[in-house]
Amino acid sequence: MYKIVKKEKLAPDIQRFFIAAPEVARAAKAGQFVILRLFEGGERFPLTIVSREAKEGLIEIVSQRVGKSTAELALLKTGDLIKDISGPLGQPSEIKRYGRVLVIGGGVGIAPLLPITRALKEAGNEIMAILGVRSKEMFFFEDEFKTISRKIYFTTDDGSLGRKGLVTDVLKMLIDEEEIQRVLAIGPVVMMKAVSNLTKKVNIPTTVSLNPIMVDGTGMCGACRCLINGKSRFACIHGPEFDGHQVDFNTLLRRQNMFLKEEKTALEGFKKKDSQ
Ligand code: FAD
Ligand code: FES
Ligand code: MG
């Protein structure tokens, strides 16, 4: 059992949890994640390790409420216990001194972006950041990014903060104005696809962190299979980070949509049963 030591709201439907998980905290590196199971019989679902305090044995996770399991997590309070936490899982990020690195975060992707950005900064890179969300109240970690970035740009869909539009609008401008040695993008699949398409044209190496469905997190179930440079790869053990120019984003989008359809059908089945 793993105890929630602290819980905080970061934005509407986005919360952070500090959890006592000493073994995970000791071993975790930037870019890795855990798989949680909240209670016996509960669903397994992945969340990124945003930070860790090895001495205190704590890990920080950030969760956006999007469906059943994340809604169940959102209901837990400080002092409550989580049944299982497996990890750290996945390959750690490749941290090198690249020069000027542009990091791009969309929505809750801003959370997994932070630990990698911190590690890149510590390795001596100059950081520029673009953070994009729907509306200004959805921003979080702005101060954390401000302290490690030379320049930071905000975009919102509704123009309530920063530039109205998409992160790719700013990316296009920066590609023209700045020398950028590397791009790291984490967010919705369509955003990572658009970023990778743009940087491919101008040959800027680009890393993305993929978020396919994961179940076991150990390469056994096949749920997280992705096509990378025409080859099958399991995001849970070979990733989650991959070269954005080699990812088959269309297959990833198709698989995610398939899952959504199955969820909807299952939900309709439940509703039917309920009304009988
Ligand atoms: P559901 O209603 O079951 O599904 C809603 C959507 O969530 C689905 O359409 C699908 O896209 C995704 N999803 C559902 N089940 C899974 C699953 N088992 N594995 C992966 N995606 C799933 N979210 C965060 O808020 N913060 C994070 O730091 C974070 N890190 C992630 C790191 C990795 C490596 C991966 C693969 C995903 C990460 N996610 C993160 C996404 C998170 O796992 C899903 O939002 C969560 O599993 C949704 O579960 P649900 O039951 O609430 O929603
Ligand atoms: Fe099962 Fe990756 S989650 S193979
Ligand atoms: Mg679910």
Side-chain angles (χ1 to χ4, degrees):
M1 292 289 221
Y2 299 84
K3 192 172 182 173
I4 298 173
V5 172
K6 195 166 132 195
K7 175 189 176 186
E8 266 174 22
K9 181 177 171 179
L10 291 177
D13 283 333
I14 301 182
Q15 291 168 316
R16 70 155 109 174
F17 298 83
F18 292 87
I19 301 168
E23 275 150 38
V24 184
R26 251 196 308 277
K29 295 205 169 71
Q32 291 187 298
F33 61 94
V34 287
I35 288 195
L36 299 92
R37 198 163 59 108
L38 301 180
F39 48 84
E40 194 64 54
E43 190 178 53
R44 292 167 62 83
F45 64 104
L47 293 174
T48 302
I49 303 162
V50 173
S51 73
R52 63 177 185 131
E53 293 291 340
K55 254 200 208 151
E56 288 86 354
L58 295 182
I59 58 165
E60 177 189 3
I61 53 169
V62 170
S63 175
Q64 181 171 35
R65 190 174 59 168
V66 292
K68 187 168 181 290
S69 296
T70 48
E72 285 163 350
L73 176 61
L75 288 175
L76 296 184
K77 300 181 294 294
T78 301
D80 283 346
L81 298 173
I82 291 174
K83 175 87 176 87
D84 288 324
I85 294 187
S86 326
L89 298 168
Q91 297 295 325
S93 305
E94 198 176 51
I95 304 296
K96 287 187 188 160
R97 193 169 178 157
Y98 300 106
R100 182 173 296 148
V101 181
L102 174 63
V103 301
I104 306 176
V108 77
I110 291 171
L113 190 69
L114 182 62
I116 312 169
T117 307
R118 280 180 172 148
L120 286 165
K121 172 79 178 171
E122 271 166 32
N125 293 287
E126 183 190 292
I127 306 294
M128 295 181 70
I130 313 173
L131 305 181
V133 296
R134 275 201 319 270
S135 188
K136 75 171 182 199
E137 67 276 9
M138 298 304 290
F139 274 118
F140 60 96
F141 287 165
E142 306 99 297
D143 290 343
E144 284 81 348
F145 275 94
K146 272 182 196 160
T147 57
I148 48 179
S149 309
R150 179 173 72 85
K151 271 191 189 171
I152 184 161
Y153 301 84
F154 297 104
T155 69
T156 44
D157 295 353
D158 61 4
S160 52
L161 193 112
R163 190 179 171 136
K164 183 177 190 309
L166 302 172
V167 291
T168 41
D169 299 332
V170 180
L171 171 62
K172 278 182 208 153
M173 177 190 90
L174 292 180
I175 284 176
D176 288 339
E177 288 178 4
E178 304 270 356
E179 281 284 317
I180 300 162
Q181 273 76 47
R182 198 163 191 95
V183 167
L184 165 68
I186 309 185
V189 179
V190 282
M191 180 205 99
M192 295 190 286
K193 179 183 172 186
V195 166
S196 301
N197 285 343
L198 281 172
T199 57
K200 195 172 185 174
K201 285 187 198 143
V202 288
N203 255 326
I204 303 175
T206 296
T207 303
V208 293
S209 182
L210 301 186
N211 53 354
I213 304 300
M214 291 188 184
V215 181
D216 65 337
T218 61
M220 302 294 281
C221 72
C224 69
R225 191 168 48 238
C226 299
L227 268 184
I228 312 294
N229 202 17
K231 294 192 187 91
S232 267
R233 287 283 176 269
F234 295 131
C236 68
I237 50 168
H238 301 123
E241 284 169 36
F242 293 101
D243 177 346
H245 299 162
Q246 296 192 344
V247 174
D248 183 336
F249 287 104
N250 293 338
T251 308
L252 187 60
L253 282 167
R254 258 200 310 276
R255 283 177 73 102
Q256 274 194 340
N257 288 339
M258 231 161 65
F259 174 81
L260 277 178
K261 256 188 223 151
E262 279 168 19
E263 283 275 292
K264 228 174 138 192
T265 317
L267 213 64
E268 272 155 19
F270 275 125
K271 278 187 195 154
K272 248 188 208 159
K273 253 192 186 166
D274 252 8
S275 61
Q276 275 165 6

